Amino acid sequence: MLMKSIAAGLAGTALLATVAFAQNPTATIDKAAPAATTTTTTTTASGEWRASKMSGLKIYNDANENIGSINDLLMDKSGNIKIAVIGVGGFLGMGEHLVAVPYEKLKFVNEAVAYTGTGAKPAATTTTGAATGTEKTTTTTTTASSTSKWYPDHAVFNASKDELKNMPEFKYSE
């Protein structure tokens, strides 16, 4: 029974394919086609940021605490970005609280966040001294040059994570 169904399906597909191939395309021939003129312009956008790279950009407060990330940018009809939608809390997008903040209140920074010694993992750890239990550990961070990136390293917004969570939740209108 299954083999008959498969055979019928294949036969129907072959029949439809032959009908499609049997059709002759109508050809249009332009006798005096104008010569195509192409102008190539080279534009450089040094110092500009790609909007697609701004989504997911981390937001820190003045105390270098990670308070969220940019989920979306909203612009007016003339193309000016007016609102940044920031996701606060949650895990992998679940339980995330979205808030809308004025775009001009964000300060974009091209240098990496200064590591204060607690919290996120450091870039490099060096241990000095003999293995006697009195080792001295120093933590350093590296700041990558952002001249070749198309996005800033992070943004700064003057609020705590709790203050953002207490803001009214942003909802997209249907």
Side-chain angles (χ1 to χ4, degrees):
M1 181 73 170
L2 181 64
M3 291 302 284
K4 287 182 182 180
S5 297
I6 293 173
L10 288 174
T13 303
L15 181 63
L16 290 174
T18 57
V19 171
F21 286 121
Q23 305 235 343
N24 288 332
T26 58
T28 58
I29 300 173
D30 291 337
K31 294 185 180 183
T37 59
T38 58
T39 54
T40 56
T41 58
T42 305
T43 58
T44 59
S46 64
E48 302 294 329
W49 295 327
R50 292 176 57 188
S52 61
K53 297 286 187 180
M54 298 296 275
S55 180
L57 189 73
K58 293 194 181 302
I59 309 284
Y60 292 86
N61 61 12
D62 292 330
N64 286 341
E65 299 168 333
N66 185 348
I67 58 174
S69 63
I70 294 178
N71 278 27
D72 208 349
L73 298 174
L74 306 177
M75 62 181 76
D76 61 11
K77 292 182 181 177
S78 65
N80 297 321
I81 299 173
K82 296 294 184 182
I83 295 173
V85 178
I86 298 176
V88 183
F91 180 71
L92 297 175
M94 300 298 294
E96 192 171 49
H97 182 75
L98 297 178
V99 295
V101 299
Y103 184 74
E104 66 268 4
K105 298 283 184 175
L106 293 175
K107 179 181 139 194
F108 294 96
V109 181
N110 282 329
E111 291 85 31
V113 176
Y115 181 69
T116 59
T118 60
K121 67 179 182 179
T125 302
T126 309
T127 304
T128 57
T132 60
T134 61
E135 294 88 5
K136 179 181 174 187
T137 303
T138 58
T139 305
T140 59
T141 59
T142 58
T143 56
S145 172
S146 61
T147 57
S148 63
K149 292 190 327 184
W150 283 87
Y151 55 94
D153 183 74
H154 66 280
V156 176
F157 184 70
N158 191 15
S160 69
K161 189 178 272 192
D162 289 333
E163 288 173 337
L164 285 178
K165 284 183 180 180
N166 291 331
M167 288 177 68
E169 185 172 10
F170 175 79
K171 294 190 182 205
Y172 293 98
S173 61
E174 300 293 328

